[in-house]
Amino acid sequence: MTDEEYMKYALRLARRGCGFVSPNPMVGAVIVKNNTIIGEGWHTKYGCPHAEREALAHCSDDPCGADIYVTLEPCCHYGKQPPCTDALIEAGIKRVFVGSPDPNPLVAGKGVEILRSHGIVVHENILREECDALNEIFLHYITSRKPFVAMKYAMTADGKISAFTGASKWITGEKAREDVHFLRKKYSAIMVGIGTAIADDPMLNCRIENGRDPVRIVCDSHLALPLDSRLVRSARDIPLIIASCCTDAEKQKPYLDAGCDIITVPQKNGHTDLAALIEELGRRGIDSVLTEGGGTLNWSMLKAGIVNKVYAYIAPKLLGGKGAPSPVGGEGFPSPDEAVKLRTVDVRMIGEDILIESEVTDFVHGNS
C-alpha cells in the first residue's frame, strides 16, 4: 500500500468517532511495520484515549521501528489524556505521516517539532485536503471559538419547501430523510425557528442505530413555544435551549420548571440576535449547529453572516404555486451580484433525490 492508501484507511477509521468525540476532532491512526498493518485505532469518545494511543494499545507486534499514519498532528499537551507525542516516542516509532496540522494553540506545529527533536522522521500534509474536510467543524471552532453552522433544507426541483397549502410531508424520499439523521448525529446542536416548532411540533432527535441526539435549540423571541409541545415535554430527556429576547421571569418559569434552558439574547430588528446567540453557544462549548428552519430563519441566518455550509436536498418533483415558500425567505438581496456565494464541494444521489453540499464563500451583505 502507498502512503496515501494508508492515510485513506486512517480516515475511514477516524469517521467511526463521528458524533461521539465533539468538541474534539475525529482522528484515525494506522501503525505499519514491514509493509504490514500491526495496529489501528481511532478516537472513540470524548475523554477516551486518542487514536495514536488506541493504535499502540492494539498492536499485534512490537511497534518499535514502525511507521504511523495519523490524520491529525499528534497532540503534545496534557488535557483529558496525556500527550500522544510521548506515547510515540516511548514506543520507538520511526516515522510519522501526518494529514492535517492541528491549529489548536496548544499544538500548532509543536507536536511535529517535538517528534523531530527526538529523531523521528515526520512527513506532513498527506491527503491534507481530505483530512481537513473530515474535521471542518473542529478546525473552525478551535480557531474562531464559534460553532460551525450548517443550513439544511429539502426542496422540489422548482425550489419549493412546501405546497401553497403548507403541506410539506414529504418533499424528499425515505433515504434522504434518513440521511438527515446522520447529520443530526454529526452536529452538536440542531436549531429551528418558532414557526417551524409550532407548525411541525418536531422532536428534532436522531433516529438511527448508534445515533446521538443533538442539543435542540428553538429561536423563540417572545416565548411562544407551547408548553405542551413535544420539545418542551421531552426537555428533561433531551436538552432543549430556548433562545429568547423575553426577560420576564414569570413567563420563563414554566419552561425552566419543565427542564428547558433559556438563553436570553439581545433583540435585533424585532427578533433574536442570531450573531449574539452563536457567540454564546460557542462560549458554552457547542462546536456545531445544524439548522432545519424555514425560509424566515434561513434568511435571518444568511443576513447575520453566520452560515458556513449548506445542505440542499432536491427532490424530482414540481409543486408550482406563486405562494408556495422557497428555502430562503425575507426581502432577499436586490441583485445576483449581491447574493451569498457558494462553492459546491459534493453532489450525490441519495435514493431518488440529489444532495448538493456547498461551502459559503462570501457574505457580501452578511452583517448589514
Side-chain angles (χ1 to χ4, degrees):
M1 292 173 67
T2 65
D3 294 337
E4 288 74 17
E5 288 171 329
Y6 284 126
M7 190 61 77
K8 283 183 179 179
Y9 184 46
L11 280 165
R12 289 200 297 273
L13 293 172
R15 292 187 184 97
R16 297 184 185 182
C18 180
F20 302 105
V21 300
S22 172
N24 281 355
M26 291 177 277
V27 184
V30 178
I31 299 174
V32 179
K33 189 172 185 178
N34 299 324
N35 298 316
T36 301
I37 295 176
I38 64 168
E40 58 186 59
W42 64 94
H43 188 26
T44 60
K45 189 178 180 181
Y46 179 68
C48 291
H50 294 177
E52 298 93 323
R53 290 183 177 271
E54 284 282 0
L56 288 168
H58 294 91
C59 276
S60 59
D61 197 358
D62 184 355
C64 184
D67 300 334
I68 187 168
Y69 294 80
V70 59
T71 55
L72 184 71
E73 178 182 1
C75 67
C76 55
H77 63 287
Y78 281 88
K80 289 187 176 296
Q81 295 292 325
C84 288
T85 49
D86 288 358
L88 298 178
I89 293 165
E90 292 166 6
I93 293 294
K94 182 180 179 180
R95 295 189 301 175
V96 177
F97 295 80
V98 176
S100 298
D102 189 342
N104 185 340
L106 296 173
V107 186
K110 300 183 188 74
V112 166
E113 184 181 333
I114 288 171
L115 293 173
R116 285 176 173 152
S117 71
H118 284 79
I120 297 175
V121 176
V122 180
H123 297 280
E124 300 179 77
N125 301 318
I126 310 299
L127 294 185
R128 177 170 176 176
E129 186 174 344
E130 291 92 330
C131 291
D132 283 356
L134 174 73
N135 281 311
E136 60 184 356
I137 289 173
F138 168 78
L139 297 175
H140 174 83
Y141 182 68
I142 201 68
T143 53
S144 70
R145 307 313 298 180
K146 297 178 184 178
F148 183 92
V149 179
M151 175 192 295
K152 167 263 165 185
Y153 55 80
M155 68 180 187
T156 59
D158 57 342
K160 309 297 184 181
I161 60 173
S162 73
F164 73 92
T165 60
S168 60
K169 294 183 179 179
W170 294 103
I171 294 291
T172 52
E174 186 176 343
K175 289 187 180 298
R177 299 198 300 274
E178 182 181 352
D179 190 68
V180 171
H181 288 277
F182 285 96
L183 291 182
R184 291 183 181 183
K185 175 184 175 182
K186 176 180 178 180
Y187 286 82
S188 297
I190 181 170
M191 184 164 73
V192 298
I194 184 60
T196 297
I198 291 176
D200 296 348
D201 192 22
M203 274 293 288
L204 301 179
N205 58 341
C206 179
R207 298 187 290 276
I208 56 173
E209 186 178 355
N210 197 34
R212 178 201 56 84
D213 291 325
V215 173
R216 294 144 341 143
I217 304 170
V218 178
C219 293
D220 182 7
S221 301
H222 309 294
L223 284 182
L225 183 64
L227 290 169
D228 63 351
S229 67
R230 295 202 296 166
L231 287 168
V232 174
R233 287 189 286 113
S234 60
R236 295 195 184 281
D237 299 316
I238 307 173
L240 173 65
I241 294 174
I242 301 175
S244 181
C245 308
C246 178
T247 58
D248 185 335
E250 187 174 338
K251 198 169 183 181
Q252 289 185 0
K253 187 177 185 303
Y255 295 98
L256 297 174
D257 289 346
C260 305
D261 184 5
I262 297 177
I263 295 180
T264 304
V265 293
Q267 188 177 102
K268 188 172 184 178
N269 300 322
H271 299 286
T272 302
D273 187 333
L274 292 173
L277 172 60
I278 289 300
E279 293 269 4
E280 178 58 27
L281 293 176
R283 285 191 287 270
R284 292 181 175 220
I286 292 178
D287 67 353
S288 55
V289 178
L290 175 69
T291 70
E292 294 191 21
T296 300
L297 179 62
N298 289 346
W299 167 252
S300 297
M301 292 193 305
L302 291 172
K303 194 74 171 173
I306 62 173
V307 181
N308 302 105
K309 193 166 199 172
V310 176
Y311 295 97
Y313 292 84
I314 304 174
K317 299 174 182 176
L318 300 172
L319 268 174
K322 64 181 181 180
S326 67
V328 181
E331 65 268 29
F333 296 116
S335 73
D337 288 342
E338 297 172 89
V340 173
K341 307 299 192 300
L342 305 177
R343 182 178 76 87
T344 300
V345 295
D346 191 27
V347 179
R348 62 184 184 273
M349 294 293 299
I350 301 181
E352 61 184 9
D353 305 306
I354 299 172
L355 171 60
I356 301 178
E357 190 175 327
S358 305
E359 295 175 349
V360 174
T361 62
D362 187 19
F363 276 107
V364 179
H365 292 278
N367 292 301
S368 60

